[in-house]
Amino acid sequence: MLPLVSIGIPNYNGSNYIVQTLESVKAQTYKNIEVFVVDDASTDDSVKVVNEWIRNNTELNVTFLIHDNNKGPCEACNTFFNLCNGEFFQYVGSDDILNPDKISKQVDILTNLGREYALVYSDTNLIDADGVLLNTSYLESLKYNKWLMPQGSILEELLLFNFIQSCSPLVRTEAAKTVGGFNTYFWVEDYDLWLRLSNKYKVAYIPKTTASYRKHLNSLTSRKSTWAKTIDEALHMRLQYFDKVSPEFQQKLIKVLRHDAAALYALDYTTAGYWLKRSFRISPTIKGAALLGLFKLGFSFSQVSNFKNKIKTFYKLF
């Protein structure tokens, strides 16, 4: 008997794309699958679109769950995660697409590796709003070598940057339950779970493209405000492990903290002052003191940048 795989599709206002996502799940060569679609109180016609698709595809085991109010991506993921029965689970955004052989390939790998491995991830394509291919390698777009990605014990590498694209992994359900599932304290649904899993288990990688990740203007990650929120949450996640890594690696994390604190200042995000202060406390520098001082004096990052540009222009005159 092939192990059951649970596929969760969290959705918010994804009516333009969710049928393509569902069709990619239906097209899987691996057939022992249960599907959970979780609508997070969409304001478009997502509910109507999904219900119609389910009526026309009764051969697939689909459960449709609808939130009365918008709870965010992590809550949507936890809704299906708490109900899934599969030995493995996969979640996919309602605008992304799985390759037909994705589940079969990754089930084989995780089954053969055994319980010390919590997940297997891969590379993905990048597509635009119309499904046009933008890049055949998500990892190469991030300047990684897709043939030499971290695997095994990957916590330290993952703390520096989240290179595991959300729809690429197949996850061992037992391992995810052991570490507590999706943390609803955060808005970012994947990174915290990958970190907790890699802290306790090993991770596998296959240098193949197994899905297509859609980039478009309406996606949450394309918005300036949510990008800043993502940076803020990632800092909270990383610093939970600060005392668990070597002093040498702590220095790498400090560099990330300094960079991201400055980025939040540039984005005028509400927690910029907190992170500038924390960065300076952990590792005092002249630049850190200057940024913190300017922030406390009420100068915005754009004002500081304009002042720097004026000074540069002044010196060019002489």
Side-chain angles (χ1 to χ4, degrees):
M1 189 73 179
L2 293 172
L4 178 66
V5 173
S6 303
I7 298 181
I9 306 173
N11 173 71
Y12 178 70
N13 289 350
S15 62
N16 289 339
Y17 306 109
I18 194 167
V19 167
Q20 295 176 48
T21 303
L22 287 163
E23 288 291 338
S24 77
V25 172
K26 179 184 173 182
Q28 290 301 302
T29 57
Y30 191 92
K31 296 304 180 184
N32 194 18
I33 287 173
E34 63 175 5
V35 183
F36 297 91
V37 181
V38 182
D39 186 81
D40 197 24
S42 293
T43 58
D44 65 1
D45 60 345
S46 288
V47 172
K48 178 183 175 182
V49 168
V50 172
N51 275 325
E52 183 177 349
W53 190 90
I54 292 173
R55 281 196 300 271
N56 295 327
N57 294 274
T58 54
E59 70 276 20
L60 204 62
N61 178 13
V62 182
T63 301
F64 189 22
L65 305 150
I66 303 171
H67 287 171
D68 293 331
N69 50 72
N70 185 264
K71 299 179 180 180
C74 280
E75 284 281 9
C77 287
N78 248 359
T79 295
F80 77 74
F81 177 71
N82 290 331
L83 295 172
C84 70
N85 303 297
E87 183 177 338
F88 308 109
F89 80 91
Q90 153 92 56
Y91 87 94
V92 54
S94 59
D95 52 0
D96 300 329
I97 299 171
L98 304 182
N99 288 7
D101 59 351
K102 180 187 193 300
I103 301 300
S104 60
K105 281 181 178 178
Q106 294 184 320
V107 166
D108 284 345
I109 289 169
L110 276 185
T111 301
N112 290 328
L113 286 173
R115 285 183 166 80
E116 63 181 314
Y117 280 82
L119 65 86
V120 53
Y121 74 104
S122 64
D123 201 358
T124 62
N125 292 322
L126 289 175
I127 57 176
D128 69 8
D130 298 319
V132 176
L133 189 65
L134 297 173
N135 198 314
T136 56
S137 174
Y138 169 77
L139 293 171
E140 287 183 346
S141 74
L142 298 173
K143 309 304 180 186
Y144 283 97
N145 184 336
K146 67 180 181 180
W147 304 105
L148 297 172
M149 293 302 296
Q151 56 182 325
S153 300
I154 69 165
L155 177 63
E156 290 193 348
E157 291 95 335
L158 197 58
L159 282 169
L160 295 177
F161 189 81
N162 181 18
F163 47 80
I164 302 180
Q165 205 285 315
S166 58
C167 67
S168 84
L170 184 71
V171 185
R172 193 179 301 278
T173 307
E174 178 186 45
K177 288 185 176 180
T178 298
V179 300
F182 294 91
N183 186 348
T184 56
Y185 172 81
F186 295 117
W187 179 84
V188 179
E189 72 272 24
D190 58 345
Y191 190 31
D192 178 64
L193 180 58
W194 306 157
L195 287 172
R196 281 183 284 120
L197 286 169
S198 62
N199 184 47
K200 190 175 179 66
Y201 298 92
K202 291 181 179 179
V203 168
Y205 170 74
I206 51 172
K208 296 182 181 296
T209 297
T210 63
S212 294
Y213 174 68
R214 195 184 303 268
K215 293 186 71 174
H216 55 93
L217 293 176
N218 292 328
S219 65
L220 289 175
T221 52
S222 296
R223 301 171 192 170
K224 178 181 174 181
S225 59
T226 52
W227 180 238
K229 188 173 185 178
T230 299
I231 294 172
D232 171 66
E233 290 198 349
L235 284 173
H236 281 289
M237 295 171 194
R238 289 176 175 126
L239 289 186
Q240 294 178 78
Y241 301 90
F242 189 79
D243 294 331
K244 298 180 181 181
V245 297
S246 66
E248 293 78 16
F249 190 78
Q250 285 178 353
Q251 293 305 309
K252 294 182 180 181
L253 281 182
I254 287 170
K255 287 182 180 179
V256 174
L257 173 57
R258 286 178 189 151
H259 175 273
D260 287 359
L264 290 173
Y265 182 29
L267 292 167
D268 195 30
Y269 195 63
T270 53
T271 61
Y274 168 81
W275 288 114
L276 288 171
K277 191 181 300 181
R278 189 159 183 187
S279 172
F280 184 71
R281 283 178 182 167
I282 292 175
S283 179
T285 64
I286 294 173
K287 184 178 179 180
L291 284 176
L292 182 58
L294 289 165
F295 175 84
K296 286 183 175 181
L297 290 170
F299 288 98
S300 68
F301 189 85
S302 59
Q303 288 175 313
V304 175
S305 297
N306 289 337
F307 181 67
K308 284 174 65 178
N309 289 334
K310 287 178 181 178
I311 291 176
K312 288 180 181 178
T313 302
F314 175 79
Y315 277 109
K316 285 181 181 177
L317 294 175
F318 298 92

